[in-house]
Amino acid sequence: MIDKIFSGISKIMGSKSERDIKKIQPIVDEIKSFEEEMKALSDDELKGKTGEFKQEIREATAATQKKIDELKAELNTIHTGESEDIDRRNELESELEELDKEWLEITDEVLDDILPEAYAVLKETCRRFVGKSWKVAGTDNEWNMVPYDVQLIGAVVLHQGKISEMKTGEGKTLVAIFPTYLNALVGRGVHIVTVNTYLAQRDAEWNEPIFNFHGLRVDCVDRYEPNTEARRNAYKADVTYGTNNEFGFDYLRDNMVINKDQLVQRGHHFAIVDEVDSVLIDEARTPLIISGPVPQDNQNQKYSELKPRVQRLVEAQKNLIAKFLHEAEQAYEKGDQETAGLALFRARRGFPKSKKFQKMMQEPGLQRLTQQTEYLYLQDQGKNMHVVDEAMYYAVDMKQNTIELTEKGRELITPSQEDPDFFVIPDMGTETSQIEEE
């Protein structure tokens, strides 16, 4: 009954998505209302619209921007370390933060007002580029995209800071250029975040002529090495493409610099994330970490010292297990199942991933014999397991993911001048008792 009620309400009122689209549709209709006016403009007049939009933003924010400039000028005059100067600096920085919020609020209002006309300008630009071609990812590509209503709806949604879900082939790349153009008018840069370097560079090359037509510069951070002037210049572009990892690592590195002159990014104003589920959920599961170099005289020295011993130990074990498997084959052929079973069980304990052992385990008779031998030696809490393991250099427990060195193994990797108990893990109870007695 409840499901039927909600189903009926949905039919009457529509789904959340349908209601949202109804709110956006008037904006799309307003965008389309500018079409004839835009078509009548010359190329230079169409380009000039971008300058008009920027001027409108400057005029609306002029008073606030003047206050910001005055406070920054005063802030630059404070150099001494006197307590009153520090207090004044903190006061100015707090005022600047509030003024910046005010500036952004005014800008957002202007962008919302000019959105229909600005989108109409870019739609007309797309129409005029149809049939033109340029190099994209090394091949000639012809521009043939003019946005449909559904793409304009997606473009409005993105400007509003929401997620626009679109299937492959529905023109995500085209949708993104509209809010990018609109927010780039502010002059603080727009970041387009993609999941891989190919897409970042391809989309930058694909959309660059459209933005260049309106005097906006496009770049891609993935083209340049980190901490270079070229990458810093890429962040100064009106539109900056890049992968989530490159943006993220540049942010981490910027938080480690000593002087502001060393910063690569210029700030964060507006960003569009392509494949947001992948970037903010799947990719975000792997944290971005910047680590320093490991001292060569500590960990690496110990690793280099012990590696040859481990290699010698493993090689000796492989040769020994090969002998056990050969012994098992011969004993099994002679009908000596006790000897064959013990040799096979030792092979399982000593080198369970041996290809020859795994191949022999495909024979039901040998597999059954190995299981029977294992059961035999595990009886009575495994009191006879030492008979199995002592013949080898180490024993592997696949269930516990552990390897235990035998006396034979310790002797192999411990030179005569070293402590023979170096590789023996002491019993903490016994060691504690000895300390207490002392």
Side-chain angles (χ1 to χ4, degrees):
M1 178 62 72
I2 293 176
D3 289 341
K4 290 181 180 179
I5 291 173
F6 279 114
S7 177
I9 293 174
S10 178
K11 288 179 181 179
I12 296 171
M13 302 184 62
S15 66
K16 174 69 166 60
S17 176
E18 291 171 342
R19 294 196 297 272
D20 289 342
I21 290 174
K22 284 183 179 180
K23 292 179 182 179
I24 295 173
Q25 189 59 50
I27 302 176
V28 174
D29 293 338
E30 190 174 356
I31 294 170
K32 294 166 68 177
S33 71
F34 285 97
E35 285 186 3
E36 295 305 318
E37 178 184 339
M38 296 302 155
K39 288 180 180 179
L41 298 177
S42 65
D43 283 355
D44 287 340
E45 288 171 334
L46 189 64
K47 294 176 184 179
K49 282 292 181 180
T50 298
E52 293 177 13
F53 296 144
K54 288 183 176 181
Q55 181 61 29
E56 194 168 341
I57 294 171
R58 283 194 295 268
E59 290 176 357
T61 59
T64 304
Q65 186 62 52
K66 182 180 179 182
K67 295 178 184 177
I68 291 174
D69 293 340
E70 289 173 351
L71 290 182
K72 284 184 176 180
E74 183 180 349
L75 192 61
N76 289 333
T77 62
I78 301 176
H79 299 294
T80 63
E82 300 294 333
S83 59
E84 59 268 19
D85 290 333
I86 295 175
D87 291 340
R88 181 54 180 162
R89 174 179 288 276
N90 292 335
E91 183 182 339
L92 289 173
E93 288 177 347
S94 179
E95 290 181 31
L96 278 171
E97 186 175 343
E98 291 301 317
L99 282 172
D100 192 59
K101 289 179 181 178
E102 180 183 316
W103 189 94
L104 288 171
E105 289 173 359
I106 296 171
T107 301
D108 287 342
E109 291 178 3
V110 176
L111 292 182
D112 289 341
D113 289 341
I114 67 175
L115 184 150
E117 187 176 4
Y119 277 23
V121 166
L122 204 61
K123 181 180 179 181
E124 175 61 20
T125 305
C126 292
R127 189 187 68 80
R128 296 190 186 190
F129 269 73
V130 170
K132 296 183 179 181
S133 62
W134 53 87
K135 291 282 186 183
V136 178
T139 60
D140 287 324
N141 279 267
E142 183 178 312
W143 183 272
N144 59 1
M145 298 187 294
V146 179
Y148 295 104
D149 287 5
V150 65
Q151 292 168 325
L152 292 174
I153 290 173
V156 174
V157 168
L158 289 180
H159 171 68
Q160 293 175 346
K162 301 175 183 177
I163 295 174
S164 177
E165 183 178 2
M166 305 191 74
K167 296 178 181 178
T168 302
E170 289 186 341
K172 290 187 296 181
T173 304
L174 178 63
V175 169
I177 69 173
F178 285 83
T180 299
Y181 167 73
L182 179 65
N183 286 274
L185 297 171
V186 176
R188 292 193 176 187
V190 174
H191 293 169
I192 311 295
V193 186
T194 61
V195 292
N196 62 61
T197 299
Y198 170 77
L199 288 177
Q201 296 188 7
R202 184 204 68 179
D203 290 354
E205 293 173 359
W206 187 221
N207 297 318
E208 186 171 12
I210 300 294
F211 292 121
N212 287 169
F213 181 83
H214 290 283
L216 301 176
R217 189 169 71 86
V218 177
D219 213 331
C220 176
V221 297
D222 290 56
R223 295 171 179 166
Y224 315 107
E225 292 296 319
N227 290 322
T228 60
E229 191 60 35
R231 178 167 286 203
R232 186 175 290 106
N233 193 47
Y235 278 111
K236 293 178 181 178
D238 297 291
V239 181
T240 304
Y241 286 83
T243 56
N244 52 306
N245 280 343
E246 293 302 320
F247 282 128
F249 277 118
D250 282 338
Y251 176 79
L252 292 180
R253 282 187 285 262
D254 276 359
N255 277 272
M256 297 169 65
V257 301
I258 299 174
N259 300 316
K260 288 186 177 181
D261 295 340
Q262 297 173 310
L263 293 173
V264 174
Q265 296 183 343
R266 62 162 167 166
H268 310 98
H269 172 62
F270 186 85
I272 295 176
V273 183
D274 187 16
E275 297 189 35
V276 66
D277 53 341
S278 177
V279 172
L280 297 186
I281 299 176
D282 299 336
E283 293 287 326
R285 291 174 181 171
T286 304
L288 302 181
I289 300 172
I290 294 180
S291 59
V294 178
Q296 295 295 319
D297 56 350
N298 291 326
Q299 185 176 345
N300 284 356
Q301 180 180 349
K302 184 61 67 176
Y303 173 81
S304 300
E305 178 186 335
L306 296 178
K307 181 180 177 181
R309 303 192 196 189
V310 175
Q311 288 176 326
R312 185 166 68 252
L313 180 71
V314 173
E315 192 62 31
Q317 182 87 333
K318 285 183 178 179
N319 293 334
L320 182 61
I321 297 304
K323 291 179 181 179
F324 285 148
L325 292 174
H326 181 66
E327 178 184 339
E329 287 177 323
Q330 290 184 327
Y332 190 71
E333 289 177 1
K334 295 176 181 179
D336 185 358
Q337 294 203 353
E338 182 179 348
T339 302
L342 178 57
L344 287 169
F345 186 37
R346 281 173 172 163
R348 169 176 283 181
R349 291 279 293 171
F351 195 19
K353 292 189 177 182
S354 164
K355 290 182 179 179
K356 184 174 182 180
F357 173 73
Q358 291 177 349
K359 185 176 181 181
M360 291 174 69
M361 287 299 98
Q362 293 175 4
E363 186 176 331
L366 293 176
Q367 186 181 44
R368 185 166 53 254
L369 178 60
T370 305
Q371 291 172 347
Q372 291 172 349
T373 306
E374 181 179 13
Y375 176 74
L376 177 66
Y377 280 96
L378 288 176
Q379 286 180 341
D380 299 327
Q381 297 182 341
K383 68 178 183 179
N384 292 320
M385 281 299 295
H386 65 91
V387 176
V388 179
D389 294 344
E390 284 177 355
M392 301 181 295
Y393 295 100
Y394 56 85
V396 180
D397 189 332
M398 294 295 289
K399 293 181 180 179
Q400 299 295 328
N401 289 321
T402 60
I403 294 178
E404 183 177 352
L405 275 176
T406 64
E407 185 68 27
K408 187 175 180 179
R410 287 194 292 272
E411 290 176 356
L412 178 67
I413 63 174
T414 306
S416 57
Q417 70 274 15
E418 285 189 354
D419 180 5
D421 294 330
F422 181 78
F423 291 99
V424 178
I425 299 176
D427 180 77
M428 296 306 295
T430 304
E431 294 294 321
T432 303
S433 298
Q434 291 179 355
I435 293 172
E436 290 176 349
E437 290 175 0
E438 293 175 358

